[in-house]
Amino acid sequence: MSLENSTSGMFKIPILTGTNWIPFKRRMTGVLRELKLYKYVDGSATLIVPLHPTALTAAEITANEAWEEGNDKAMNRIVLSISDEQSMHVMDAETAKSMWDKLRNIHEPHGLLGILA
């Protein structure tokens, strides 16, 4: 395997180097959707807020454990698919969503001038 490619399970995609955000985003979105992990990146999967903060129910504990497992898997897929230089941007991210948002904010154009550029 060359350094330019990432194997994300059964998928092989070019790693994010900073100049290839749009194709990386498209491919990585496809990988995460195929693996049912995209909901952790787009924020539609969330931790359960307990009805009683001092005593979580068994169902709340199970749901939060499932969320943590899915979030960890999504984070790992992203980390294993970006270059060392790009990993510096997401070192302090605690969720897959915050990791994805940081990468998107860095690499996607903002404002009219950015879009035109």
Side-chain angles (χ1 to χ4, degrees):
M1 176 176 78
S2 72
L3 291 177
E4 295 85 31
N5 290 313
S6 162
T7 56
S8 189
M10 63 185 148
F11 308 98
K12 185 174 181 179
I13 64 172
I15 63 170
L16 175 63
T17 60
T19 59
N20 63 334
W21 169 251
I22 298 299
F24 171 84
K25 177 183 169 184
R26 186 180 66 247
R27 290 181 180 110
M28 196 63 192
T29 297
V31 168
L32 292 169
R33 284 188 173 140
E34 178 71 22
L35 298 172
K36 309 287 190 246
L37 297 173
Y38 191 70
K39 60 187 172 186
Y40 301 98
V41 169
D42 73 4
S44 61
T46 59
L47 279 168
I48 300 296
V49 177
L51 295 174
H52 303 287
T54 57
L56 280 92
T57 66
E60 290 169 338
I61 292 169
T62 300
N64 282 344
E65 287 173 348
W67 181 89
E68 289 176 12
E69 182 180 337
N71 181 67
D72 287 347
K73 286 180 180 181
M75 288 180 72
N76 288 336
R77 295 290 175 169
I78 295 169
V79 166
L80 295 172
S81 300
I82 61 177
S83 69
D84 291 343
E85 293 80 15
Q86 296 302 308
S87 68
M88 301 301 289
H89 300 301
V90 298
M91 284 177 41
D92 61 343
E94 294 183 11
T95 66
K97 180 174 178 11
S98 66
M99 186 178 280
W100 192 257
D101 288 347
K102 287 176 186 231
L103 291 171
R104 191 177 66 225
N105 287 335
I106 290 165
H107 297 293
E108 286 186 6
H110 301 285
L112 183 58
L113 291 178
I115 293 169
L116 291 175

